[in-house]
Amino acid sequence: MHKILAIAWNMIKRTIGSRKGLLIHILVPSIVVAGVIFITGGMEASNPVLLYGNRDAGTAGGHLIAELERTGAYTLKEVKDEAELKEAVIAQEGSAGLWIPADYTANILQGNRPQVGMYELRTSESSILVKMKVDTIVSEMTAAAGLIQAADTSGEADQTAQFAAVLEQAREHNVGSIRTDYDLYPRQTLGVATGMTLLFLMNLVSSTVTQILKDRTGRTMMRMFSAPVRAYEITLGNFLGSCMVGVIQILVVLVLGKWVLRYDYEVPMTFYFLVLATFMLVAMGIASTIAGLLRNPKNAGMINMLILTPTCMLGGCFWPLSIMPEYMQKAANFVPQKWAIQAVDLASTGGGWDVLWQPFAVLGLMAAILLVIGSSVMRPSEASIGV
Amino acid sequence: MANIWTIAANELRMMFRSRSVMLNTFLLPLVLIFLLGAALSGVVGVKGDSSIDPVRVAVVYTGGDPQEASAVADFMKSPELDGYIIPVESSSRDEAESGLRNGKYGYAVIVPQDFDGKVQRGQEVKLEYILGKNSMDNTVAGTVFDNFLGAINYRQAAVQALGPQAAVAAAAAAEPASSRETAVKLGDLNNGGQSYTASQYYAASMLLMFLLYSGLDVSGSLFGEKDRHTLYRLGSTPVTGRELFFGKILGIGIVAALQCATIIILSNLLFGVYWGNRPWLLILFCLLMIVVSMTFSIIVSMFCKTLTTANTIVNFVTVGMTFLSGGMNPLPDEWVHSVGLFTFNHWAMDSIIRMMLHSGLSQLLPNLWVMSLIALVLLGAAIFSYRKVGYHA
């Protein structure tokens, strides 16, 4: 047993024993991760900016904007003309731009369903929600216009005034809703913050696997195998050492995020730690499997990238899974990130172990399989320095 | 000079022989562009998505009698709700709340006393929603009930503003056949040329990310020679250190340029990504980005002792800058204009998008100057650090 510990301790010392190792492997990445969490967490507080231009001669355009403002979900910013609106959207001054044409009210009063122009540089959750909201408000306005036409057939000017009066009355929101929010659901940004942490965590884990790989290319592993230690002791020792380094990395990230940047993880820190630690085992399995299949350590990092970024996208690290098409959501089941995020999601909504066992079982299984493959293919005999 | 080419050619040969480099350089970016395009293509709304599970909604009639709120009760029975909402009558607010907490219900609606009467008298009346555990369910149920209340609100407003004859008309008009036609037309940001899609945005951001990543090849190649102890051997050949160094950088630069061309051409052919109307300027920006990425990596490699350290730094800078320039997921709008300005990606990204949108040359030139300036400064720093540190065994 103490042989395993000696190898593990050696592994830790080599990776983070020096001041520089500490800086490169612990401090810098942790600060980056904590910073990313901080930024994504801060997104919650800031409303997306919605640019608009209103050329409408009547009241409908103004009503639409007022109703959007009332939702409290957007910061509205007016621009002068359509060209300027486009330019502002391209310069990313807002998430989306709305353009209300000049004859908008008149068109509605004629019983049409005129369209508002919308500009966006990229699809995002907030732009999708804006679209839905506008759709609703316009439906209500066209319904009101229909009512006015059905009610009487007085002159056009009269109708315009009536329409304005109806809209003004509607803005009072006599019939409406109050939302009572007990914060039962996971915060939107929690998934992305977790996802970003996973992305960087996978990146970090590969660095310890590189150390093992270096032993192999440097022929050190061969020497170790000639020492009076068993193969499984070497494997376990290396594995334990990498685990410890990973655990330290996770701890530093969590401490920075929780107590320095004061990010609210919504779940007990021990649980969050458990999720990340389980995920780290999977990541380590992936990294060692790749490392075992490759001959050149230089390429290990690259291939890791090849696996890392697409799986993170598929697993919902960058955006909520629910906005993806269905077949992509199914494909996400094969990706460990999805299960880690799901575990955090379930726990933050108060789910107990009766539902939590599933993501953990999947993660554990993935880790076990990958680690077994990884350790079996990491043989010292294949220590050639290929290209 | 011939030596430089020999070394560059050798560098190229080594890279093209390595399968992982090939996969990473040419396949990965295309996979990512495809994933981004596919994942974000579906405009997800509440309607039309067949995969939505219906939400169990607890309905509490505070007055006790559903007949007091016949509008709500009728709505709960209407076929419109099929597939979205399963209304379940709940005895009390407390029961609904505990049901929400243990997952029995996904959402709860509390109907106040005398709902119908208040609506008819034009008084203020509010339904109370209690949000459940699932964000998507909350959005679905909230939207459905808000639409319902919105219709009542407008009808009440019409009656109040127009007088009782509107009530008659409202009763007659009952349910206006709401057309499913969208009220929002996605405008074309373009100033002529092909229409712009959101996937183009991510294609540009991925291209730039990978050009920055090609810096990893620089550090890999520079340190690889040292780690394999082949730099000693090269020292015994009639090649000067400078020739060796520039040969390597040249070789990697060529690979990066090839990668860039592959991404642009293949993404155009396979996914129909349109890259704009100024191919020469696009090439210029890409070359500037390659220069920036190479020189940055050289500086890092000069001052780092091991490959791992250098790679970690290049890696984090690449991912960090792509993230901060908004290339991965949307950032708060003000970030793009504050922190984003300090990334290499921002300037190139902004110009590539403007080229895709056929913006005028005058809008592109400032970006070009900034990129050139960054490239020049980094080039100077790279030359300086090479002189100071050098590339020896």
Side-chain angles (χ1 to χ4, degrees):
Chain A
M1 189 61 201
H2 73 276
K3 284 177 194 160
I4 299 179
L5 287 181
I7 294 175
W9 178 239
N10 185 39
M11 179 85 193
I12 298 173
K13 257 197 321 203
R14 277 166 59 198
T15 323
I16 54 173
S18 62
R19 196 181 302 153
K20 209 165 119 212
L22 210 61
L23 200 71
I24 290 293
H25 293 294
I26 302 280
L27 221 54
V28 175
S30 308
I31 290 173
V32 172
V33 177
V36 166
I37 293 173
F38 180 67
I39 295 171
T40 25
M43 270 159 71
E44 193 89 23
S46 70
N47 280 335
V49 177
L50 194 60
L51 303 154
Y52 72 95
N54 186 4
R55 267 297 153 78
D56 189 14
T59 43
H63 177 72
L64 180 62
I65 299 300
E67 286 291 87
L68 280 174
E69 188 142 32
R70 187 179 166 273
T71 61
Y74 312 103
T75 310
L76 284 140
K77 210 165 120 191
E78 185 163 16
V79 289
K80 280 204 299 289
D81 52 37
E82 198 161 4
E84 198 183 311
L85 182 70
K86 277 190 190 182
E87 174 52 35
V89 171
I90 295 174
Q92 303 195 46
E93 280 167 28
S95 316
L98 285 177
W99 180 252
I100 303 168
D103 50 354
Y104 195 68
T105 311
N107 243 325
I108 288 188
L109 278 173
Q110 279 161 22
N112 295 331
R113 194 177 157 86
Q115 288 184 317
V116 179
M118 175 156 165
Y119 296 100
E120 59 177 7
L121 203 53
R122 55 183 162 175
T123 319
S124 67
E125 245 185 313
S126 59
S127 69
I128 291 174
L129 289 177
V130 170
K131 249 179 269 177
M132 281 165 57
K133 189 72 200 161
V134 171
D135 230 24
T136 314
I137 300 171
V138 172
S139 295
E140 290 164 352
M141 286 198 294
T142 45
L147 268 180
I148 291 170
Q149 278 178 334
D152 69 310
T153 47
S154 52
E156 200 176 298
D158 224 20
Q159 279 192 4
T160 315
Q162 281 177 350
F163 185 60
V166 172
L167 291 189
E168 196 179 334
Q169 181 62 40
R171 273 202 292 278
E172 298 282 318
H173 285 274
N174 260 341
V175 181
S177 61
I178 317 162
R179 278 181 163 73
T180 307
D181 192 345
Y182 294 121
D183 278 332
L184 296 174
Y185 53 92
R187 245 198 344 244
Q188 289 278 308
T189 55
L190 184 65
V192 178
T194 310
M196 283 291 163
T197 314
L198 297 181
L199 170 74
F200 284 96
L201 195 62
M202 277 181 100
N203 230 333
L204 281 178
V205 164
S206 61
S207 71
T208 51
V209 175
T210 318
Q211 294 278 5
I212 306 178
L213 220 57
K214 233 191 231 160
D215 281 349
R216 205 176 59 176
T217 28
R219 306 275 203 283
T220 327
M221 218 182 215
M222 267 187 166
R223 279 181 228 169
M224 275 160 82
F225 268 74
S226 68
V229 274
R230 292 176 187 281
Y232 81 87
E233 286 173 333
I234 299 175
T235 315
L236 270 183
N238 275 335
F239 172 68
L240 204 65
S242 318
C243 269
M244 286 313 293
V245 175
V247 164
I248 295 170
Q249 285 166 338
I250 297 175
L251 279 179
V252 175
V253 168
L254 288 186
V255 166
L256 269 182
K258 175 83 179 174
W259 284 286
V260 179
L261 294 173
R262 306 215 163 266
Y263 181 75
D264 178 14
Y265 284 99
E266 291 189 7
V267 291
M269 292 313 281
T270 42
F271 177 81
Y272 204 79
F273 175 78
L274 193 64
V275 174
L276 291 186
T278 319
F279 181 78
M280 187 192 68
L281 292 182
V282 185
M284 213 175 270
I286 295 176
S288 57
T289 306
I290 295 166
L293 294 174
L294 287 177
R295 282 182 297 158
N296 189 350
K298 193 186 110 189
N299 296 340
M302 282 193 167
I303 288 292
N304 225 3
M305 277 296 306
L306 192 63
I307 308 267
L308 193 123
T309 332
T311 51
C312 277
M313 284 181 181
L314 207 56
C317 289
F318 297 134
W319 48 74
L321 279 179
S322 53
I323 73 166
M324 302 205 304
E326 212 184 331
Y327 69 94
M328 301 266 294
Q329 292 191 28
K330 280 193 183 126
N333 285 336
F334 294 98
V335 175
Q337 286 94 327
K338 185 222 151 152
W339 297 100
I341 294 176
Q342 198 182 54
V344 173
D345 262 9
L346 283 175
S348 70
T349 59
W353 282 102
D354 53 321
V355 283
L356 281 175
W357 69 270
Q358 195 196 12
F360 273 99
V362 175
L363 282 178
L365 208 65
M366 283 181 174
I369 295 172
L370 286 167
L371 281 172
V372 167
I373 299 176
S375 59
S376 69
V377 285
M378 288 262 269
R379 284 290 149 92
S381 52
E382 290 163 24
S384 67
I385 307 172
V387 178
Chain B
M1 192 60 204
N3 282 340
I4 293 185
W5 282 109
T6 314
I7 294 189
N10 180 51
E11 198 69 28
L12 278 177
R13 211 175 301 130
M14 297 223 309
M15 286 185 113
F16 276 97
R17 246 186 236 158
S18 159
R19 208 174 303 143
S20 60
V21 174
M22 296 316 306
L23 286 177
N24 227 25
T25 318
F26 298 107
L27 187 67
L28 181 59
L30 292 171
V31 170
L32 290 188
I33 293 173
F34 168 74
L35 271 179
L36 279 164
L40 301 173
S41 65
V43 178
V44 183
V46 174
K47 296 154 197 155
D49 193 343
S50 57
S51 65
I52 289 180
D53 293 325
V55 188
R56 286 175 67 85
V57 178
V59 188
V60 181
Y61 297 98
T62 322
D65 182 13
Q67 290 314 311
E68 263 184 21
S70 59
V72 181
D74 287 347
F75 178 66
M76 294 296 175
K77 286 189 208 107
S78 66
E80 263 180 75
L81 295 185
D82 280 355
Y84 299 121
I85 305 281
I86 303 174
V88 183
E89 216 170 292
S90 173
S91 57
S92 71
R93 197 196 145 97
D94 288 341
E95 201 271 335
E97 235 184 85
S98 70
L100 278 177
R101 286 188 194 275
N102 65 27
K104 190 172 156 199
Y105 306 124
Y107 206 73
V109 177
I110 314 288
V111 186
Q113 279 183 335
D114 193 22
F115 181 85
D116 282 351
K118 280 182 183 160
V119 171
Q120 267 153 26
R121 288 193 297 276
Q123 286 170 337
E124 186 170 11
V125 58
K126 308 261 184 205
L127 288 192
E128 183 184 354
Y129 303 158
I130 307 180
L131 274 57
K133 281 186 177 182
N134 184 316
S135 310
M136 193 68 193
D137 285 358
N138 287 339
T139 316
V140 171
T143 313
V144 168
F145 287 108
D146 268 346
N147 287 353
F148 163 69
L149 286 181
I152 299 185
N153 180 38
Y154 276 78
R155 206 166 299 163
Q156 190 203 44
V159 173
Q160 282 187 318
L162 307 177
Q165 81 266 34
V168 183
E175 268 313 295
S178 58
S179 57
R180 282 280 172 261
E181 192 190 340
T182 170
V184 181
K185 184 183 66 180
L186 262 196
D188 200 347
L189 278 174
N190 224 330
N191 304 308
Q194 293 184 28
S195 65
Y196 173 84
T197 59
S199 69
Q200 279 172 269
Y201 180 93
Y202 289 105
S205 87
M206 284 297 120
L207 172 71
L208 294 175
M209 187 173 99
F210 277 95
L211 289 185
L212 267 189
Y213 263 129
S214 57
L216 286 181
D217 293 332
V218 173
S219 54
S221 171
L222 291 182
F223 280 103
E225 213 79 62
K226 283 184 188 176
D227 292 347
R228 288 195 298 266
H229 303 294
T230 36
L231 195 54
Y232 284 118
R233 279 182 228 169
L234 281 171
S236 67
T237 54
V239 180
T240 61
R242 199 167 292 183
E243 284 170 338
L244 176 64
F245 188 79
F246 288 117
K248 276 179 172 299
I249 303 298
L250 185 66
I252 296 162
I254 292 174
V255 173
L258 278 179
Q259 176 189 30
C260 178
T262 321
I263 296 178
I264 292 177
I265 292 169
L266 283 186
S267 66
N268 186 353
L269 291 180
L270 297 177
F271 315 129
V273 175
Y274 174 64
W275 289 91
N277 59 341
R278 297 178 199 274
W280 293 110
L281 211 52
L282 180 68
I283 293 173
L284 186 59
F285 270 107
C286 289
L287 286 179
L288 278 175
M289 197 64 188
I290 292 174
V291 171
V292 166
S293 140
M294 301 276 127
T295 46
F296 176 73
S297 187
I298 291 172
I299 299 168
V300 172
S301 302
M302 287 290 126
F303 290 107
C304 288
K305 289 226 170 56
T306 64
L307 174 63
T308 330
T309 319
N311 274 356
T312 311
I313 294 177
V314 174
N315 230 324
F316 273 98
V317 167
T318 304
V319 177
M321 283 199 174
T322 313
F323 178 78
L324 285 177
S325 66
M328 281 185 181
N329 55 356
L331 283 180
D333 294 312
E334 66 268 26
W335 276 84
V336 180
H337 292 279
S338 49
V339 186
L341 296 186
F342 293 96
T343 62
F344 306 144
N345 304 46
H346 173 87
W347 301 99
M349 175 96 170
D350 194 58
S351 5
I352 292 181
I353 287 172
R354 280 172 195 278
M355 281 187 266
M356 288 171 170
L357 297 170
H358 292 218
S359 293
L361 193 62
S362 58
Q363 287 168 315
L364 292 168
L365 286 178
N367 287 353
L368 186 63
W369 301 140
V370 174
M371 272 309 278
S372 311
L373 189 69
I374 296 175
L376 264 179
V377 169
L378 281 175
L379 189 67
I383 293 174
F384 177 76
S385 56
Y386 177 74
R387 292 228 166 145
K388 195 102 180 147
V389 185
Y391 183 52
H392 326 283

